Amino acid sequence: YILGGLCIAGILAYEVANQMRAAGYAVSLVILLDSPGPLYFHSPHSLDARLSEPRYLLRRVQRLGLRKSYGLFRERLLNRFFQSAERKQIRRDWEPSREIALAAVSSYRPGRYEGEGKVLLLMASERPPHVNFLPQWEVLAHGRLEAEYVDGHRYNLNESPAVSGVAHHIASRLADVGGGRPLSYSAR
């Protein structure tokens, strides 16, 4: 089996892989696409820490573009300070599932990844200096982890041109677990 996920879904894929392996199934690859280590959700990530990195913020605006950066900033401000009746309804609709997922991840205590197979951690190259997912995954998947940076920001890893880098890394690992057969991919 090959499992993978983006962000929190990567943590879920990791746990599913561990349970499948314990049940006797072969898991040849787990792909974690910009997935924080499970303990990441236990540490505080204040707005002050993010704003203390002006060079990072400027690089982020340059990479994402002014329009997208402004949109993300505006959305955060609106979510934080202004909640219209419509926003409250939308938030009520998705908030329970988000809170359940965050509570599950916050209480999750992962085991080490044992046995055969690899864990591929693909991380966005543009990230705040205070955010580093690598150390936790190195401990959990010791000896099985392959980590690569993909040119882009976590908000645009699924857009061109970053998605081509993601596809390239995944395709090369799939060829490795598939007996070296070359795979083709097309990022559109």
Side-chain angles (χ1 to χ4, degrees), residues 50-179:
R50 282 184 241 145
L51 292 177
S52 70
E53 302 292 342
R55 282 185 291 205
Y56 163 74
L57 292 172
L58 288 174
R59 283 193 319 268
R60 179 178 163 192
V61 168
Q62 185 179 20
R63 176 170 301 278
L64 294 177
L66 191 56
R67 178 173 288 187
K68 188 166 190 168
S69 296
Y70 173 74
L72 291 169
F73 179 74
R74 183 176 176 268
E75 182 180 323
R76 283 191 178 158
L77 275 180
L78 288 173
N79 285 337
R80 190 176 289 251
F81 299 112
F82 306 106
Q83 294 183 357
S84 66
E86 181 181 337
R87 279 192 172 285
K88 286 181 182 178
Q89 181 59 42
I90 291 170
R91 191 173 185 142
R92 266 189 244 120
D93 291 345
W94 63 264
E95 192 66 27
S97 61
R98 181 174 181 257
E99 286 182 19
I100 290 168
L102 287 174
V105 168
S106 294
S107 64
Y108 175 55
R109 298 294 181 260
R112 288 184 69 137
Y113 194 76
E114 304 292 340
E116 298 300 314
K118 293 286 183 184
V119 176
L120 174 62
L121 174 61
L122 296 176
M123 298 171 290
S125 62
E126 289 291 321
R127 63 180 55 257
H130 66 278
V131 175
N132 187 0
F133 300 152
L134 188 57
Q136 287 183 32
W137 289 116
E138 285 177 326
V139 170
L140 291 172
H142 182 72
R144 302 275 167 235
L145 183 69
E146 294 179 12
E148 300 284 346
Y149 285 95
V150 177
D151 190 33
H153 191 275
R154 74 173 306 124
Y155 292 121
N156 69 355
L157 284 180
N158 61 346
E159 300 171 359
S160 190
V163 74
S164 293
V166 170
H168 170 75
H169 287 294
I170 292 173
S172 68
R173 292 328 185 282
L174 291 175
D176 292 345
V177 300

Side-chain angles (χ1 to χ4, degrees), residues 4-27:
L6 169 67
C7 196
I8 292 177
I11 298 170
L12 176 62
Y14 178 84
E15 177 58 23
V16 169
N18 270 339
Q19 289 186 24
M20 288 179 69
R21 295 171 71 69
Y25 294 96
V27 177

